[in-house]
Amino acid sequence: MQFSNRKLFFWSTTVYLSFVALEIILIMSGCQGRFIFPLDDTYIHLALADQLAHGHYGINPGEFASPSSSPLWSFLITPFAGTSFHPYFPVLLNAIFGILSMYFLTKMVGDLTEDKTDGFGFSGWKQLLICILLMLLCDLPSLTVLGMEHGLQILLTICCAGGFIAVISGRPVPSSAIAAAIIAPVVRYEDLSLTLALAVLLFAIGQKARAIGTFVASLVPLIAFSLFLHSIGLPPLPTSVLQKSNSSMDHSPLSSLIGVIRSNLVQTAHDPIHRGPVILPFLFCLWMTARSKSMLERAIFLGPTLVGALHLMLGRFGWLHRYEVYATVFQVFVITGWALTKLTHRADRNASSPFSSASFRPSFAGLLILLLLCGGISIKAIGETPFCSMTVYRQQYQMHLFLNRFYTGNLEVNDLGAMSFQRRPGTYVFDLAGLGSVEAQQQKKMDPEWMQSIVKKHNIELAVIYENWWPVPSSWTNLGRICEHRRGFVILGGPCVAVYSINPANNASIQKNLLTFASTLPPGVWYERP
């Protein structure tokens, strides 16, 4: 007996929300009752949202900066800024996006597995199993508590894939797919590949004006955002995008692009296993594109092939699977829609389907294996998420507490995040990594002389940094390190963060405060005196 779409949505969403609740419980139990985000980056978005609530775009009042990779996300999480609820709002927002993702996901599975014409059929439990595996593939529980834009990105990715699945089923591309393709790039820049893929499909089915209109419309908010950044004296792309793409002031855009492609291809060759969830469906879609004799069928598989290829060449990987998950989801959803169509013989009943004379019929077991192989890294990320939160709690969050309790002056860091969020009013934070400080992003050489000039310029008397990133001026005094022993989850800049006093007159008081604070450190964290 099959499940209705409503019943399938209810049970699948219940499983999803149960995973989210379990993640939150594990995080809070490992962080002494506090909810801490699994990555420090989330606090950058929150700090930016705090400033946006006051009409300013940047981390420090009066100084513009673009530390967020997403043009849209920090604006979306601006509500409740300055309140105690603000740190929880991104989780609530992502839970809403997750529920919407489950709606489109279960609707796809329910629609494609109903009305069988043979004796094989899909029972309700088989439908539910596919939905749960797709939910895990999407990494939805982890992305929900991560608190960044990736939950919304997955929702839009599923909607874009829905356009391809509609064509596979002989139906027109739905307006939800068009809207998602237009919105997606302003959520994350790499989503332009999704827009391109859908535009290619629309072009192939004869909707050329719609294809061009969709792609051009997706560029409008990006161009508007770049013009906004330019109007406040910033580069046309966020500093976080420039940093993560290894762009440099002394390299042309073309040479930077070639460098990124070369680096990604080398890393893919050296580590194909961890990139397998993108590589495996990419190879399948590439094979289907090459073997198909139908132009429409080629266009259907060319879309996910383009998304996979572009991410393998230009995209980033890792950090709880958040960078590459959209590419995996898009490719696998199109393949799953195609496979379910085969398994239920829908093409035989629809003369307009491009697969009416299909010869290849993947088995149900083969589909499950594909979902498990491509979803394995997401399942791993879901399991690691609470431990990552514990790591952030034991290092970045502890430094946040120390600074808020014992320090009132300006600060220099090289890992912007928790130390910049909900800090003391009037405290200036200089980001050596360049995400929150344009001066650092534009600096070609991070030498001690330049670092010393920065602290003088901004009246900075304390630096909380990872020592192994750059050499520090010899005039600074190392007052000790806060260390964390959980090194199996590499989400920190190092096992220890060092505290440097810039002004010798403050050495004794800061040292005393560090010793006082050391007595409050949680288990697994300790203070090392120099």
Side-chain angles (χ1 to χ4, degrees):
M1 180 179 177
Q2 284 194 319
F3 288 163
S4 65
N5 280 10
R6 179 177 295 181
K7 187 175 182 180
L8 189 60
F9 169 69
F10 173 80
W11 286 112
S12 300
T13 305
T14 298
V15 174
Y16 156 64
L17 292 177
S18 298
F19 268 94
V20 173
L22 180 60
E23 292 273 55
I24 293 173
I25 291 171
L26 291 174
I27 288 172
M28 295 185 70
S29 65
C31 299
Q32 298 183 315
R34 297 178 182 270
F35 177 80
I36 301 296
F37 289 106
L39 294 178
D40 195 46
D41 302 51
T42 310
Y43 294 102
I44 300 176
H45 292 272
L46 288 167
L48 179 58
D50 271 348
Q51 291 298 315
L52 284 171
H54 293 90
H56 175 69
Y57 197 77
I59 297 297
N60 296 296
E63 182 179 274
F64 293 113
S66 53
S68 172
S69 299
S70 171
L72 182 62
W73 186 247
S74 292
F75 289 93
L76 290 181
I77 62 173
T78 298
F80 304 102
T83 69
S84 59
F85 180 69
H86 191 210
Y88 307 104
F89 182 59
V91 179
L92 174 62
L93 205 57
N94 271 335
I96 294 171
F97 294 140
I99 292 171
L100 290 173
S101 295
M102 294 306 298
Y103 168 78
F104 286 104
L105 184 158
T106 54
K107 187 177 188 302
M108 177 196 79
V109 174
D111 289 347
L112 292 178
T113 55
E114 67 178 355
D115 299 328
K116 289 87 45 206
T117 59
D118 59 12
F120 178 75
F122 275 89
S123 67
W125 295 110
K126 288 178 181 175
Q127 292 175 303
L128 182 60
L129 178 60
I130 292 174
C131 289
I132 292 174
L133 288 177
L134 286 172
M135 179 271 292
L136 295 174
L137 173 91
C138 292
D139 199 15
L140 281 181
S142 177
L143 297 182
T144 299
V145 299
L146 185 59
M148 288 194 280
E149 70 275 8
H150 306 280
L152 175 57
Q153 182 187 33
I154 292 301
L155 169 61
L156 298 173
T157 300
I158 292 173
C159 290
C160 288
F164 285 74
I165 294 167
V167 174
I168 291 171
S169 304
R171 296 179 285 112
V173 176
S175 56
S176 59
I178 301 296
I182 293 173
I183 298 170
V186 80
V187 175
R188 285 195 66 84
Y189 283 90
E190 57 262 45
D191 290 347
L192 268 173
S193 65
L194 302 176
T195 311
L196 176 62
L198 190 64
V200 169
L201 178 65
L202 290 169
F203 200 88
I205 61 178
Q207 299 183 23
K208 298 179 180 179
R210 204 179 184 194
I212 297 172
T214 298
F215 192 76
V216 171
S218 73
L219 297 178
V220 171
L222 295 182
I223 294 173
F225 184 67
S226 291
L227 291 174
F228 162 70
L229 293 179
H230 179 73
S231 70
I232 58 177
L234 296 176
L237 291 175
T239 51
S240 54
V241 173
L242 296 175
Q243 291 289 85
K244 293 172 184 178
S245 62
N246 297 318
S247 294
S248 173
M249 298 293 291
D250 53 353
H251 288 88
S252 69
L254 180 59
S255 63
S256 295
L257 178 64
I258 293 173
V260 169
I261 294 174
R262 182 187 297 114
S263 175
N264 271 4
L265 292 179
V266 169
Q267 291 180 41
T268 298
H270 287 171
D271 189 18
I273 300 299
H274 286 92
R275 302 190 176 203
V278 177
I279 296 173
L280 182 61
F282 163 71
L283 292 176
F284 179 84
C285 292
L286 180 63
W287 178 69
M288 289 297 295
T289 302
R291 70 178 288 273
S292 176
K293 296 180 181 179
S294 163
M295 290 298 295
L296 182 54
E297 187 171 321
R298 285 183 179 179
I300 288 170
F301 282 101
L302 178 60
T305 302
L306 285 172
V307 172
L310 287 171
H311 193 84
L312 287 170
M313 289 189 298
L314 300 173
R316 287 170 61 85
F317 287 80
W319 299 94
L320 290 178
H321 189 41
R322 67 187 177 103
Y323 289 120
E324 70 270 27
V325 64
Y326 81 98
T328 300
V329 168
F330 184 76
Q331 294 179 106
V332 173
F333 265 64
V334 173
I335 295 171
T336 300
W338 172 79
L340 292 179
T341 300
K342 298 289 188 177
L343 287 170
T344 55
H345 293 187
R346 291 185 65 86
D348 294 340
R349 304 195 304 278
N350 193 336
S352 65
S353 170
F355 301 105
S356 56
S357 59
S359 59
F360 176 69
R361 186 173 301 173
S363 68
F364 178 67
L367 176 60
L368 296 183
I369 291 172
L370 173 68
L371 294 178
L372 286 170
L373 287 175
C374 293
I377 194 168
S378 292
I379 296 172
K380 180 174 178 285
I382 293 169
E384 290 180 347
T385 294
F387 297 100
C388 291
S389 290
M390 295 177 206
T391 303
V392 172
Y393 174 68
R394 292 173 175 181
Q395 191 178 92
Q396 286 105 329
Y397 187 75
Q398 294 306 311
M399 296 314 304
H400 162 82
L401 292 178
F402 169 74
L403 294 169
N404 276 14
R405 292 175 185 175
F406 296 104
Y407 184 67
T408 59
N410 294 339
L411 176 71
E412 185 174 76
V413 301
N414 57 10
D415 192 21
L416 193 67
M419 287 183 281
S420 66
F421 178 57
Q422 291 185 341
R423 62 190 187 272
R424 287 174 180 266
T427 301
Y428 177 87
V429 178
F430 187 87
D431 178 23
L432 284 169
L435 298 182
S437 301
V438 178
E439 287 178 271
Q441 193 273 328
Q442 296 177 342
Q443 179 65 22
K444 296 181 181 180
K445 185 179 180 181
M446 296 288 184
D447 55 36
E449 291 75 17
W450 176 79
M451 293 172 69
Q452 184 64 28
S453 69
I454 285 295
V455 299
K456 288 183 178 180
K457 178 180 179 181
H458 296 286
N459 193 29
I460 295 170
E461 297 188 340
L462 189 72
V464 181
I465 59 176
Y466 294 111
E467 298 172 282
N468 59 329
W469 287 22
W470 302 293
V472 300
S474 57
S475 60
W476 295 7
T477 304
N478 188 338
L479 299 180
R481 302 171 181 85
I482 300 295
C483 297
E484 197 273 337
H485 81 281
R486 191 180 297 277
R487 304 181 186 184
F489 301 94
V490 188
I491 61 167
L492 303 176
C496 298
V497 58
V499 179
Y500 279 88
S501 174
I502 313 293
N503 184 352
N506 297 331
N507 291 359
S509 61
I510 296 175
Q511 183 87 70
K512 179 182 177 181
N513 289 334
L514 279 170
L515 290 171
T516 301
F517 181 69
S519 64
T520 69
L521 292 172
V525 186
W526 66 92
Y527 168 60
E528 284 186 358
R529 300 189 67 169

